[in-house]
Amino acid sequence: MRTLFPVETTVRVDENCRLWVQSRGDEHAVPVLLVMGANTSGLGWPERFVDELAERYRVVRYDHRDTGRSSRVFDEHPYAIRDLATDAVAVLDALDIERAHVVGMSMGGVLVQLLLLDHPHRLRSATLFGSAALGAQLAGGSEEGDGLPGVDPRLLAMWERIFEQRSPEEELAWRVEHWRLLNGDVLEFDPDWFRELERRIMAHSGTHRESWAHASADTGGLDRGDELIGVTTPTLVIEAPEDPVAPPPHAEYLARALGGAKRVEIPGMGHALGEPVLGPLVSTIRRHVEEVEAERRG
């Protein structure tokens, strides 16, 4: 049976937590799991991006806890960032996916690093971008200890206001401005495109109120950068030279920490998935997946 349209399901992690999951593409195709960044619904992966990958693969995206349609549990049942990595394994288990190519953005890249260390048998390959290495800066480290550049001060100023209560229109405007800063200063920024993205996310979530649970979650257990050198899973690190969250040389540092990881730059890319980067990003991920699959076939 070929399933080319989106299929939605709910995955039960435990008695308190359920995750919204969507699968798109041929269910018998090679699986690709998308792991989004902090406080962001799975709909943060743009439709065009998912559709183009789904032309060749079975693409799975999901809402982290406290985002989208997944359970809002943090206030009563606090969890650690590392628990979000085990949620990704629960998604694979529920869909009977033994091994997947896993793509992680931002915090999602941190979670994929944990999967590389703790569940390597579940990964065919890994692709990371917009992410710090475990033990560095936002991934369980400190700005003083690793010598890497920190987050753009303009973003830090915005993040000081993340817990403010805003009306729906104020919240929409805040999110669009946030994306503008994340986009970087090189590639064209289309506010209408990101406004529509956020309207879809709000409609999907059923609320305009953003949960910032991941900003409060325990970061313990992330200081494992020294273990990355032992990773043998084929891994690609995508360099986003205009990334204001994990600016250069974060990608180079991460690729070195992973030993045999490849590094490819997408010129002008920041920390946002706007239209100008979608084509190059899909092509880069496809090329990595196809190379790994060709090697597996021998």
Side-chain angles (χ1 to χ4, degrees):
M1 175 181 177
R2 290 172 58 85
T3 305
L4 301 177
F5 50 87
V7 176
E8 297 182 7
T9 189
T10 300
V11 171
R12 179 173 178 172
V13 176
D14 56 37
E15 64 273 16
N16 302 308
C17 181
R18 290 171 172 78
L19 305 176
W20 175 87
V21 179
Q22 183 192 75
S23 180
R24 190 175 304 188
D26 186 339
E27 64 179 345
H28 300 298
V30 171
V32 175
L33 177 68
L34 306 177
V35 186
M36 186 30 80
N39 309 300
T40 306
S41 158
L43 266 66
W45 298 104
E47 298 303 308
R48 174 188 160 193
F49 174 83
V50 177
D51 284 341
E52 291 187 6
L53 283 178
E55 291 174 2
R56 299 188 186 182
Y57 314 116
R58 180 187 184 185
V59 181
V60 178
R61 61 177 173 175
Y62 65 101
D63 291 338
H64 291 299
R65 306 183 193 193
D66 288 280
T67 73
R69 296 181 183 174
S70 292
S71 301
R72 305 294 173 115
V73 297
F74 187 80
D75 289 345
E76 294 186 6
H77 304 281
Y79 49 82
I81 294 296
R82 62 183 181 275
D83 294 323
L84 300 178
T86 60
D87 287 352
V89 176
V91 171
L92 294 179
D93 288 343
L95 299 183
D96 294 321
I97 296 174
E98 182 179 355
R99 301 180 71 194
H101 296 277
V102 184
V103 179
M105 173 180 179
S106 194
M107 182 195 74
V110 174
L111 302 182
V112 173
Q113 291 174 65
L114 292 174
L115 294 177
L116 286 167
L117 295 179
D118 297 332
H119 304 277
H121 58 290
R122 306 303 299 272
L123 278 67
R124 292 176 180 240
S125 78
T127 299
L128 315 171
F129 56 94
S131 179
L134 288 174
Q137 305 236 334
L138 295 179
S142 65
E143 293 188 13
E144 295 79 14
D146 52 41
L148 292 165
V151 177
D152 189 311
R154 295 173 297 175
L155 271 175
L156 293 176
M158 280 204 79
W159 291 352
E160 290 177 356
R161 301 173 48 213
I162 61 176
F163 294 105
E164 292 179 359
Q165 296 297 310
R166 289 178 279 268
S167 69
E169 286 306 311
E170 289 171 338
E171 176 65 20
L172 187 59
W174 193 94
R175 294 190 195 186
V176 171
E177 176 62 15
H178 191 223
W179 282 122
R180 186 185 70 79
L181 293 179
L182 290 172
N183 189 69
D185 300 323
V186 171
L187 294 181
E188 181 181 357
F189 178 75
D190 183 349
D192 293 333
W193 192 91
F194 282 96
R195 190 173 294 110
E196 182 57 31
L197 172 71
E198 286 297 342
R199 284 195 174 116
R200 289 197 301 272
I201 291 174
M202 288 180 179
H204 169 74
S205 305
T207 179
H208 75 281
R209 298 193 183 282
E210 186 75 274
S211 170
W212 293 97
H214 302 163
S216 303
D218 178 15
T219 58
L222 300 185
D223 190 10
R224 301 176 62 186
D226 291 344
E227 299 176 46
L228 295 175
I229 194 67
V231 169
T232 58
T233 304
T235 301
L236 171 68
V237 177
I238 297 177
E239 173 106 50
E242 304 303 322
D243 189 339
V245 176
H250 271 276
E252 179 183 357
Y253 180 92
L254 175 57
R256 282 204 316 268
L258 284 160
K262 294 193 301 183
R263 179 165 56 96
V264 174
E265 177 178 316
I266 295 181
M269 184 174 176
H271 202 84
L273 300 182
E275 283 280 2
V277 303
L278 296 185
L281 186 59
V282 168
S283 297
T284 301
I285 294 171
R286 279 180 174 174
R287 186 161 53 248
H288 177 57
V289 169
E290 293 305 318
E291 288 174 355
V292 172
E293 287 299 307
E295 186 171 334
R296 282 168 57 88
R297 291 191 295 268

